[in-house]
mmCIF file of all heavy atoms in Angstrom:
data_model
loop_
_atom_site.group_PDB
_atom_site.id
_atom_site.type_symbol
_atom_site.label_atom_id
_atom_site.label_comp_id
_atom_site.label_asym_id
_atom_site.label_seq_id
_atom_site.Cartn_x
_atom_site.Cartn_y
_atom_site.Cartn_z
ATOM 1 N N GLY A 200 -5.681 24.239 3.696
ATOM 2 C CA GLY A 200 -5.382 23.992 2.295
ATOM 3 C C GLY A 200 -4.155 24.804 1.940
ATOM 4 O O GLY A 200 -3.185 24.856 2.700
ATOM 5 N N ASP A 201 -4.176 25.494 0.809
ATOM 6 C CA ASP A 201 -3.093 26.384 0.457
ATOM 7 C C ASP A 201 -3.211 27.681 1.256
ATOM 8 O O ASP A 201 -4.328 28.147 1.549
ATOM 9 C CB ASP A 201 -3.143 26.687 -1.059
ATOM 10 C CG ASP A 201 -2.819 25.479 -1.889
ATOM 11 O OD1 ASP A 201 -1.770 24.865 -1.636
ATOM 12 O OD2 ASP A 201 -3.620 25.129 -2.777
ATOM 13 N N MET A 202 -2.078 28.277 1.583
ATOM 14 C CA MET A 202 -2.099 29.440 2.463
ATOM 15 C C MET A 202 -2.836 30.619 1.877
ATOM 16 O O MET A 202 -3.453 31.412 2.618
ATOM 17 C CB MET A 202 -0.658 29.832 2.811
ATOM 18 C CG MET A 202 0.060 28.816 3.668
ATOM 19 S SD MET A 202 1.751 29.329 4.121
ATOM 20 C CE MET A 202 1.407 30.760 5.156
ATOM 21 N N HIS A 203 -2.805 30.793 0.560
ATOM 22 C CA HIS A 203 -3.411 31.972 -0.034
ATOM 23 C C HIS A 203 -4.929 31.844 -0.227
ATOM 24 O O HIS A 203 -5.595 32.837 -0.559
ATOM 25 C CB HIS A 203 -2.760 32.308 -1.371
ATOM 26 C CG HIS A 203 -2.910 31.258 -2.438
ATOM 27 N ND1 HIS A 203 -2.338 30.016 -2.333
ATOM 28 C CD2 HIS A 203 -3.579 31.270 -3.615
ATOM 29 C CE1 HIS A 203 -2.651 29.302 -3.406
ATOM 30 N NE2 HIS A 203 -3.394 30.041 -4.198
ATOM 31 N N THR A 204 -5.477 30.643 0.002
ATOM 32 C CA THR A 204 -6.927 30.480 -0.193
ATOM 33 C C THR A 204 -7.585 29.900 1.068
ATOM 34 O O THR A 204 -8.762 29.539 1.018
ATOM 35 C CB THR A 204 -7.236 29.546 -1.370
ATOM 36 O OG1 THR A 204 -6.628 28.263 -1.129
ATOM 37 C CG2 THR A 204 -6.708 30.115 -2.661
ATOM 38 N N THR A 205 -6.858 29.854 2.180
ATOM 39 C CA THR A 205 -7.419 29.292 3.423
ATOM 40 C C THR A 205 -7.354 30.345 4.519
ATOM 41 O O THR A 205 -6.300 30.968 4.722
ATOM 42 C CB THR A 205 -6.603 28.062 3.877
ATOM 43 O OG1 THR A 205 -6.559 27.124 2.813
ATOM 44 C CG2 THR A 205 -7.244 27.420 5.105
ATOM 45 N N VAL A 206 -8.451 30.547 5.218
ATOM 46 C CA VAL A 206 -8.501 31.528 6.295
ATOM 47 C C VAL A 206 -9.197 30.951 7.520
ATOM 48 O O VAL A 206 -9.972 29.999 7.400
ATOM 49 C CB VAL A 206 -9.248 32.834 5.860
ATOM 50 C CG1 VAL A 206 -8.546 33.471 4.657
ATOM 51 C CG2 VAL A 206 -10.704 32.542 5.551
ATOM 52 N N PRO A 207 -8.946 31.518 8.696
ATOM 53 C CA PRO A 207 -9.664 31.054 9.876
ATOM 54 C C PRO A 207 -11.113 31.526 9.855
ATOM 55 O O PRO A 207 -11.445 32.530 9.195
ATOM 56 C CB PRO A 207 -8.879 31.701 11.036
ATOM 57 C CG PRO A 207 -8.279 32.936 10.435
ATOM 58 C CD PRO A 207 -7.950 32.565 9.015
ATOM 59 N N VAL A 208 -11.975 30.815 10.549
ATOM 60 C CA VAL A 208 -13.408 31.123 10.601
ATOM 61 C C VAL A 208 -13.858 31.145 12.059
ATOM 62 O O VAL A 208 -13.121 30.736 12.944
ATOM 63 C CB VAL A 208 -14.223 30.089 9.807
ATOM 64 C CG1 VAL A 208 -13.828 30.096 8.340
ATOM 65 C CG2 VAL A 208 -14.063 28.692 10.396
ATOM 66 N N GLU A 209 -15.080 31.586 12.280
ATOM 67 C CA GLU A 209 -15.625 31.526 13.644
ATOM 68 C C GLU A 209 -15.874 30.061 14.003
ATOM 69 O O GLU A 209 -16.206 29.260 13.129
ATOM 70 C CB GLU A 209 -16.894 32.360 13.745
ATOM 71 C CG GLU A 209 -16.622 33.861 13.601
ATOM 72 C CD GLU A 209 -17.830 34.714 13.944
ATOM 73 O OE1 GLU A 209 -18.169 34.785 15.139
ATOM 74 O OE2 GLU A 209 -18.431 35.253 13.005
ATOM 75 N N PRO A 210 -15.723 29.703 15.266
ATOM 76 C CA PRO A 210 -15.826 28.308 15.674
ATOM 77 C C PRO A 210 -17.104 27.606 15.253
ATOM 78 O O PRO A 210 -17.120 26.398 15.003
ATOM 79 C CB PRO A 210 -15.711 28.372 17.193
ATOM 80 C CG PRO A 210 -14.884 29.593 17.436
ATOM 81 C CD PRO A 210 -15.324 30.566 16.405
ATOM 82 N N HIS A 211 -18.215 28.340 15.154
ATOM 83 C CA HIS A 211 -19.490 27.729 14.800
ATOM 84 C C HIS A 211 -19.661 27.532 13.295
ATOM 85 O O HIS A 211 -20.578 26.824 12.853
ATOM 86 C CB HIS A 211 -20.668 28.555 15.322
ATOM 87 C CG HIS A 211 -20.817 29.878 14.618
ATOM 88 N ND1 HIS A 211 -20.145 31.010 15.044
ATOM 89 C CD2 HIS A 211 -21.523 30.257 13.520
ATOM 90 C CE1 HIS A 211 -20.446 32.007 14.228
ATOM 91 N NE2 HIS A 211 -21.283 31.589 13.303
ATOM 92 N N GLU A 212 -18.784 28.121 12.495
ATOM 93 C CA GLU A 212 -18.932 28.049 11.043
ATOM 94 C C GLU A 212 -18.432 26.702 10.504
ATOM 95 O O GLU A 212 -17.655 25.995 11.135
ATOM 96 C CB GLU A 212 -18.156 29.174 10.364
ATOM 97 C CG GLU A 212 -18.737 30.544 10.582
ATOM 98 C CD GLU A 212 -17.999 31.597 9.782
ATOM 99 O OE1 GLU A 212 -16.912 32.043 10.214
ATOM 100 O OE2 GLU A 212 -18.497 31.954 8.697
ATOM 101 N N SER A 213 -18.876 26.388 9.291
ATOM 102 C CA SER A 213 -18.423 25.171 8.611
ATOM 103 C C SER A 213 -16.932 25.243 8.340
ATOM 104 O O SER A 213 -16.400 26.326 8.082
ATOM 105 C CB SER A 213 -19.171 25.006 7.299
ATOM 106 O OG SER A 213 -18.503 24.102 6.437
ATOM 107 N N GLU A 214 -16.275 24.114 8.399
ATOM 108 C CA GLU A 214 -14.850 24.082 8.106
ATOM 109 C C GLU A 214 -14.557 24.556 6.690
ATOM 110 O O GLU A 214 -13.500 25.102 6.402
ATOM 111 C CB GLU A 214 -14.282 22.665 8.298
ATOM 112 C CG GLU A 214 -14.890 21.667 7.337
ATOM 113 C CD GLU A 214 -14.589 20.220 7.722
ATOM 114 O OE1 GLU A 214 -13.473 19.768 7.470
ATOM 115 O OE2 GLU A 214 -15.488 19.578 8.295
ATOM 116 N N ARG A 215 -15.516 24.356 5.770
ATOM 117 C CA ARG A 215 -15.314 24.758 4.386
ATOM 118 C C ARG A 215 -15.470 26.253 4.179
ATOM 119 O O ARG A 215 -15.138 26.769 3.108
ATOM 120 C CB ARG A 215 -16.258 24.001 3.461
ATOM 121 C CG ARG A 215 -16.183 22.479 3.597
ATOM 122 C CD ARG A 215 -14.817 21.933 3.268
ATOM 123 N NE ARG A 215 -14.588 21.819 1.838
ATOM 124 C CZ ARG A 215 -13.514 21.217 1.303
ATOM 125 N NH1 ARG A 215 -12.587 20.719 2.079
ATOM 126 N NH2 ARG A 215 -13.377 21.136 -0.004
ATOM 127 N N ALA A 216 -16.018 26.951 5.164
ATOM 128 C CA ALA A 216 -16.205 28.415 5.030
ATOM 129 C C ALA A 216 -14.855 29.123 4.907
ATOM 130 O O ALA A 216 -14.793 30.243 4.408
ATOM 131 C CB ALA A 216 -16.977 28.944 6.228
ATOM 132 N N GLY A 217 -13.807 28.461 5.373
ATOM 133 C CA GLY A 217 -12.492 29.081 5.298
ATOM 134 C C GLY A 217 -11.633 28.553 4.182
ATOM 135 O O GLY A 217 -10.428 28.865 4.101
ATOM 136 N N ARG A 218 -12.218 27.746 3.278
ATOM 137 C CA ARG A 218 -11.447 27.173 2.180
ATOM 138 C C ARG A 218 -11.860 27.780 0.840
ATOM 139 O O ARG A 218 -12.989 28.175 0.653
ATOM 140 C CB ARG A 218 -11.666 25.651 2.136
ATOM 141 C CG ARG A 218 -11.138 24.910 3.349
ATOM 142 C CD ARG A 218 -9.614 24.921 3.421
ATOM 143 N NE ARG A 218 -9.015 24.327 2.231
ATOM 144 C CZ ARG A 218 -8.901 23.002 2.049
ATOM 145 N NH1 ARG A 218 -9.322 22.167 2.959
ATOM 146 N NH2 ARG A 218 -8.345 22.547 0.936
ATOM 147 N N PHE A 219 -10.915 27.863 -0.074
ATOM 148 C CA PHE A 219 -11.132 28.388 -1.416
ATOM 149 C C PHE A 219 -11.718 29.796 -1.368
ATOM 150 O O PHE A 219 -12.571 30.166 -2.182
ATOM 151 C CB PHE A 219 -12.022 27.443 -2.243
ATOM 152 C CG PHE A 219 -11.526 26.045 -2.221
ATOM 153 C CD1 PHE A 219 -12.216 25.045 -1.508
ATOM 154 C CD2 PHE A 219 -10.371 25.689 -2.867
ATOM 155 C CE1 PHE A 219 -11.748 23.741 -1.469
ATOM 156 C CE2 PHE A 219 -9.892 24.375 -2.838
ATOM 157 C CZ PHE A 219 -10.574 23.411 -2.140
ATOM 158 N N VAL A 220 -11.256 30.568 -0.387
ATOM 159 C CA VAL A 220 -11.719 31.954 -0.245
ATOM 160 C C VAL A 220 -11.239 32.774 -1.425
ATOM 161 O O VAL A 220 -10.134 32.599 -1.921
ATOM 162 C CB VAL A 220 -11.194 32.529 1.082
ATOM 163 C CG1 VAL A 220 -11.556 34.005 1.193
ATOM 164 C CG2 VAL A 220 -11.735 31.749 2.254
ATOM 165 N N ARG A 221 -12.104 33.625 -1.909
ATOM 166 C CA ARG A 221 -11.872 34.487 -3.074
ATOM 167 C C ARG A 221 -11.885 33.687 -4.380
ATOM 168 O O ARG A 221 -11.443 34.165 -5.424
ATOM 169 C CB ARG A 221 -10.525 35.233 -2.966
ATOM 170 C CG ARG A 221 -10.413 36.140 -1.742
ATOM 171 C CD ARG A 221 -9.084 36.831 -1.653
ATOM 172 N NE ARG A 221 -8.009 35.903 -1.443
ATOM 173 C CZ ARG A 221 -6.887 35.906 -2.130
ATOM 174 N NH1 ARG A 221 -6.651 36.814 -3.059
ATOM 175 N NH2 ARG A 221 -5.932 35.001 -1.893
ATOM 176 N N GLN A 222 -12.426 32.470 -4.332
ATOM 177 C CA GLN A 222 -12.531 31.648 -5.531
ATOM 178 C C GLN A 222 -13.954 31.138 -5.689
ATOM 179 O O GLN A 222 -14.626 30.869 -4.699
ATOM 180 C CB GLN A 222 -11.548 30.479 -5.469
ATOM 181 C CG GLN A 222 -10.097 30.912 -5.443
ATOM 182 C CD GLN A 222 -9.144 29.742 -5.531
ATOM 183 O OE1 GLN A 222 -9.538 28.596 -5.441
ATOM 184 N NE2 GLN A 222 -7.867 30.045 -5.723
ATOM 185 N N ALA A 223 -14.387 31.003 -6.911
ATOM 186 C CA ALA A 223 -15.769 30.560 -7.180
ATOM 187 C C ALA A 223 -15.823 29.050 -7.276
ATOM 188 O O ALA A 223 -16.230 28.466 -8.286
ATOM 189 C CB ALA A 223 -16.284 31.203 -8.480
ATOM 190 N N LYS A 224 -15.386 28.385 -6.203
ATOM 191 C CA LYS A 224 -15.452 26.913 -6.147
ATOM 192 C C LYS A 224 -15.383 26.462 -4.710
ATOM 193 O O LYS A 224 -15.015 27.235 -3.811
ATOM 194 C CB LYS A 224 -14.318 26.314 -6.951
ATOM 195 C CG LYS A 224 -12.913 26.657 -6.414
ATOM 196 C CD LYS A 224 -11.838 26.038 -7.252
ATOM 197 C CE LYS A 224 -10.445 26.395 -6.722
ATOM 198 N NZ LYS A 224 -9.381 25.828 -7.547
ATOM 199 N N THR A 225 -15.744 25.225 -4.461
ATOM 200 C CA THR A 225 -15.672 24.664 -3.110
ATOM 201 C C THR A 225 -14.901 23.352 -3.117
ATOM 202 O O THR A 225 -14.917 22.636 -2.123
ATOM 203 C CB THR A 225 -17.068 24.419 -2.553
ATOM 204 O OG1 THR A 225 -17.757 23.495 -3.409
ATOM 205 C CG2 THR A 225 -17.859 25.709 -2.449
ATOM 206 N N GLU A 226 -14.246 23.030 -4.225
ATOM 207 C CA GLU A 226 -13.538 21.759 -4.324
ATOM 208 C C GLU A 226 -12.095 21.996 -4.814
ATOM 209 O O GLU A 226 -11.843 22.846 -5.656
ATOM 210 C CB GLU A 226 -14.229 20.819 -5.322
ATOM 211 C CG GLU A 226 -15.524 20.253 -4.808
ATOM 212 C CD GLU A 226 -15.276 18.980 -3.992
ATOM 213 O OE1 GLU A 226 -14.128 18.544 -3.870
ATOM 214 O OE2 GLU A 226 -16.289 18.440 -3.474
ATOM 215 N N CYS A 227 -11.202 21.184 -4.295
ATOM 216 C CA CYS A 227 -9.838 21.154 -4.797
ATOM 217 C C CYS A 227 -9.849 20.550 -6.194
ATOM 218 O O CYS A 227 -10.675 19.707 -6.506
ATOM 219 C CB CYS A 227 -8.986 20.288 -3.847
ATOM 220 S SG CYS A 227 -7.417 19.795 -4.549
ATOM 221 N N GLY A 228 -8.967 20.990 -7.049
ATOM 222 C CA GLY A 228 -8.934 20.453 -8.406
ATOM 223 C C GLY A 228 -8.722 18.971 -8.490
ATOM 224 O O GLY A 228 -9.169 18.330 -9.440
ATOM 225 N N ILE A 229 -8.057 18.385 -7.510
ATOM 226 C CA ILE A 229 -7.820 16.949 -7.506
ATOM 227 C C ILE A 229 -9.152 16.189 -7.570
ATOM 228 O O ILE A 229 -9.289 15.156 -8.221
ATOM 229 C CB ILE A 229 -7.037 16.508 -6.268
ATOM 230 C CG1 ILE A 229 -5.571 16.913 -6.405
ATOM 231 C CG2 ILE A 229 -7.146 14.999 -6.045
ATOM 232 C CD1 ILE A 229 -4.732 16.585 -5.187
ATOM 233 N N HIS A 230 -10.176 16.714 -6.871
ATOM 234 C CA HIS A 230 -11.408 15.991 -6.734
ATOM 235 C C HIS A 230 -12.326 16.077 -7.968
ATOM 236 O O HIS A 230 -13.177 15.232 -8.149
ATOM 237 C CB HIS A 230 -12.202 16.529 -5.543
ATOM 238 C CG HIS A 230 -11.438 16.466 -4.257
ATOM 239 N ND1 HIS A 230 -10.699 15.396 -3.892
ATOM 240 C CD2 HIS A 230 -11.292 17.366 -3.262
ATOM 241 C CE1 HIS A 230 -10.129 15.617 -2.717
ATOM 242 N NE2 HIS A 230 -10.473 16.813 -2.326
ATOM 243 N N THR A 231 -12.165 17.112 -8.746
ATOM 244 C CA THR A 231 -13.149 17.343 -9.809
ATOM 245 C C THR A 231 -12.555 17.370 -11.215
ATOM 246 O O THR A 231 -13.310 17.366 -12.183
ATOM 247 C CB THR A 231 -13.884 18.673 -9.602
ATOM 248 O OG1 THR A 231 -12.904 19.728 -9.523
ATOM 249 C CG2 THR A 231 -14.686 18.636 -8.304
ATOM 250 N N ARG A 232 -11.234 17.406 -11.352
ATOM 251 C CA ARG A 232 -10.640 17.506 -12.672
ATOM 252 C C ARG A 232 -9.632 16.405 -12.877
ATOM 253 O O ARG A 232 -8.658 16.262 -12.146
ATOM 254 C CB ARG A 232 -9.933 18.855 -12.837
ATOM 255 C CG ARG A 232 -10.858 20.022 -12.847
ATOM 256 C CD ARG A 232 -10.083 21.309 -12.767
ATOM 257 N NE ARG A 232 -9.029 21.332 -13.741
ATOM 258 C CZ ARG A 232 -7.916 22.054 -13.613
ATOM 259 N NH1 ARG A 232 -7.712 22.760 -12.545
ATOM 260 N NH2 ARG A 232 -6.993 22.032 -14.559
ATOM 261 N N THR A 233 -9.850 15.596 -13.887
ATOM 262 C CA THR A 233 -8.932 14.537 -14.241
ATOM 263 C C THR A 233 -8.780 14.486 -15.749
ATOM 264 O O THR A 233 -9.614 15.001 -16.482
ATOM 265 C CB THR A 233 -9.438 13.164 -13.764
ATOM 266 O OG1 THR A 233 -10.712 12.924 -14.385
ATOM 267 C CG2 THR A 233 -9.612 13.113 -12.260
ATOM 268 N N THR A 234 -7.734 13.874 -16.214
ATOM 269 C CA THR A 234 -7.493 13.804 -17.652
ATOM 270 C C THR A 234 -7.438 12.377 -18.137
ATOM 271 O O THR A 234 -7.007 12.113 -19.232
ATOM 272 C CB THR A 234 -6.182 14.507 -18.017
ATOM 273 O OG1 THR A 234 -5.104 13.894 -17.294
ATOM 274 C CG2 THR A 234 -6.223 15.987 -17.675
#
Side-chain angles (χ1 to χ4, degrees):
D201 292 307
M202 292 182 66
H203 63 294
T204 59
T205 306
V206 300
V208 298
E209 292 190 72
H211 68 272
E212 291 186 279
S213 163
E214 63 193 281
R215 304 300 280 187
R218 295 291 302 279
F219 309 108
V220 175
R221 300 179 296 133
Q222 297 186 349
K224 62 181 180 181
T225 60
E226 286 275 358
C227 164
I229 285 178
H230 304 317
T231 57
R232 293 170 50 206
T233 59
T234 58

